[in-house]
Amino acid sequence: MEGSKQERMLEIFFRGLRGEDISIQKLAVQYGVSTKSISRTLNDIKAFLADHHDFVGNTES
């Protein structure tokens, strides 16, 4: 699956919203990137949610 980092980030974000299991290993294979890249993407999503808490409400796990 090809696409930009932003596309991947949004797809993973929406997968999480739908309640899909977020496996770093599986996502790395699916997107053809390293597990480190997926970890950074997830950290970026978490940081965005933390920084924009007032817009997204309570998103704590």
Side-chain angles (χ1 to χ4, degrees), residues 37-56:
S37 182
I38 295 296
S39 292
R40 280 193 298 264
T41 299
L42 291 173
N43 286 336
D44 289 346
I45 292 169
K46 289 176 186 177
F48 175 85
L49 293 174
D51 290 346
H52 296 86
H53 187 302
D54 51 331
F55 293 124
V56 296

Side-chain angles (χ1 to χ4, degrees), residues 1-16:
M1 181 180 292
E2 298 266 336
S4 70
K5 180 180 177 182
Q6 291 83 10
E7 275 184 38
R8 181 174 69 234
M9 188 179 300
L10 285 170
E11 287 176 7
I12 293 171
F13 174 75
F14 282 109
R15 286 174 163 208

Side-chain angles (χ1 to χ4, degrees), residues 10-25:
L10 285 170
E11 287 176 7
I12 293 171
F13 174 75
F14 282 109
R15 286 174 163 208
L17 284 179
R18 288 195 306 260
E20 289 185 30
D21 183 33
I22 303 297
S23 163
I24 292 174
Q25 305 284 2

